[in-house]
Every structure is written in structure tokens, then in C-alpha cells.
Amino acid sequence: MSKTLTEIAQQLNSTDKKVQLIYAFNGTGKTRLSRAFKHEIDPKQEGDDASSELADKKIIYYSAFTEDLFYWDNDLGQDAEPKLEIQPNAFTKWVLEEQGQDQSIITTFQRYTSDKLTPHFSADLSSVSFSCERGNQQSEPHIKISKGEESNFIWSVFNALLEQVIAELNIPEVADRSTDVFNKLTHVFVDDPVSSLDENHLIELAVNLAALIKSSESGLRFVITTHNPLFYNVLFNEFGNKDCYMLERVEGDRFALTEKKGDSNKSFSYHLHLKQVIE
């Protein structure tokens, strides 16, 4: 039975399951689903991401819209100091300005890329530049990193927020928490944080994300979508047969969300399914 993305978002919201894992090919509508789900959980936030306070939010999400908060100033005039500008919003302000998580972000970023590649935040935390240490122990400053590395950096910022969210909400007594900004949060939506990661780092990220989610004891609920079968399979095994689905476009703006009982090799046989789609 086909549904709209709004109806699928309502279906995902209607369950009390801690984790829902969704596989979908690129271009199916995962990012659109993240917006539909966000609107379902907290419609008052729609169109007001930049101005609304973190304490007002019931859902935080990582998706292509998160990546849009970061954009390059390529210094086209001098071609000397490209930097990644950070458009302030509720979560970047809290992570960088209020909590000073820049070192945690750098550590996570280097874990998934290289310890030779170092981010440098500006004094006002409005931008970040990158340097790379070469084999001759010389540092090359002000380099422009690849798109994959950029995605990894942005995920590292979100990961710092997610760690703080789970740690605070794991404190059962609200009065004992160091901050009240997460008290309304009920959901986290993560859409494909593995762009351009090699397989070793992809597996590492999946294992670390699963461990972080499993450490959550507050009733916070998670939806994770991905187009990567390896990422899907690692999460499937790490979560131990939680609720897993495949999102497919049926026709036009109609979609199907089909429950799957195994990893991609067992439940929808990725390569055979791709062959069927092509045919």
C-alpha cells in the first residue's frame, strides 16, 4: 500500500520503538522524509530553524539541510586563505559558543579522516580553516578539504551535540541536569552521515553511533536513514534486529515503507534488488 511521505512520517512517529533503521537508494526521498518527520514531531519549527532556541525543539536532525549551515569562503581575490563559514543557528551556537566543544569536534573529525588534517576555529567561532601536515613535517596551512572531509567535519559537530544530548537526558532527575535545553527533545533523525567515508571509517562510525544510541536511557527515539548497504548492515547487527525498513518510491509522490527482517544481503539482497530496479 503506497503512502505519502507525510503518512510515512506519521507511521514512524506512531511507534514507541527506540530505533528505526531505513534503507533507501539515493534519490528516493530520504532528506524529504527527514523534513516531513520533523514537521510531524514539531510543526512550529518549520521555516524557523535559525531563530528558534534549542530549548524549544522536540527534534534534532542531521541531513543535507544541516550541511547547508556550513559554506565556503574561497578567498577568490587572494586565493590564499579559504575557510569554511559557519552560519549560526541554535545547535551550532550551543555546541561551539556555550559548551566549547571545538576540541571534541577536532578529535572526532581526525578519527574519521587523518590526524594530519587539523581544523582551526576562528576566535569568534564563526569559521574554520584547515591545515595539513606533510611527510617532511612541514604544515600546509589554509587548505580546502574535499567534499567528503567537509561532510565528516559537519557530522563531527553534530556528533558533539548528540553526545551532550544523551549524557544530559540520561540524568533522570531534571533538577540534577547541568542544562534544561534538551528537556523537550523526544526524537533524533540521522540521514546518511557516511558520505565519502572509506569502508574502515564507515564501519567505525556505524559502531560508534550505535554504541552512543544504545547508551541512551531516557526514552529518546532515533530514526536513521541511509543509502549505503554496508552502513545499514553494520547498524542492523549492532542494534540486534531492531525495526528495519526499506523506503521505495512507488510512483509520483507515493512511497512504500516495507519492514525487513534481515540485513541487506538476506532481506532484500542489494545487488539483486538493484538489478530488478534497473530492469
Side-chain angles (χ1 to χ4, degrees), residues 154-197:
I154 298 168
W155 168 254
S156 299
V157 178
F158 184 84
N159 184 78
L161 171 65
L162 188 56
E163 288 178 347
Q164 294 291 312
V165 166
I166 290 175
E168 288 293 334
L169 293 184
N170 277 352
I171 300 172
E173 294 295 330
V174 173
D176 293 337
R177 296 171 183 169
S178 65
T179 177
D180 60 1
V181 298
F182 304 133
N183 290 350
K184 292 183 179 180
L185 281 177
T186 60
H187 290 80
V188 177
F189 195 110
V190 177
D191 176 27
D192 257 344
V194 294
S195 176
S196 301
L197 278 178

Side-chain angles (χ1 to χ4, degrees), residues 194-261:
V194 294
S195 176
S196 301
L197 278 178
D198 63 70
E199 288 191 353
N200 288 334
H201 288 129
L202 183 150
I203 293 170
E204 183 181 9
L205 190 152
V207 171
N208 292 339
L209 176 59
L212 186 57
I213 290 174
K214 286 189 285 187
S215 73
S216 174
E217 302 171 349
S218 63
L220 198 61
R221 288 185 279 168
F222 301 82
V223 178
I224 306 172
T225 61
T226 183
H227 76 286
N228 188 293
L230 177 58
F231 188 65
Y232 177 93
N233 288 350
V234 174
L235 288 176
F236 174 87
N237 290 308
E238 287 294 315
F239 289 131
N241 270 357
K242 295 298 181 183
D243 291 71
C244 302
Y245 305 91
M246 185 165 185
L247 178 68
E248 300 175 86
R249 186 190 298 273
V250 179
E251 57 181 350
D253 281 334
R254 307 290 294 184
F255 300 81
L257 189 67
T258 308
E259 186 173 1
K260 297 298 179 182
K261 298 296 185 181

Side-chain angles (χ1 to χ4, degrees), residues 69-75 81-89 92-93 96-97 102-103 105-106 118-131 142-143 145 150 153-154 157:
L69 297 174
F70 301 78
Y71 56 96
W72 281 98
D73 175 356
N74 289 314
D75 188 23
E81 298 184 5
K83 57 187 176 182
L84 191 63
E85 299 281 356
I86 303 172
Q87 178 176 314
N89 84 334
T92 59
K93 283 182 178 179
L96 294 172
E97 297 178 19
D102 48 318
Q103 189 55 54
I105 292 166
I106 292 170
T118 304
H120 304 275
F121 287 91
S122 63
D124 62 358
L125 301 172
S126 65
S127 66
V128 58
S129 59
F130 298 85
S131 66
H142 305 301
I143 66 170
I145 59 176
E150 178 186 337
F153 176 78
I154 298 168
V157 178

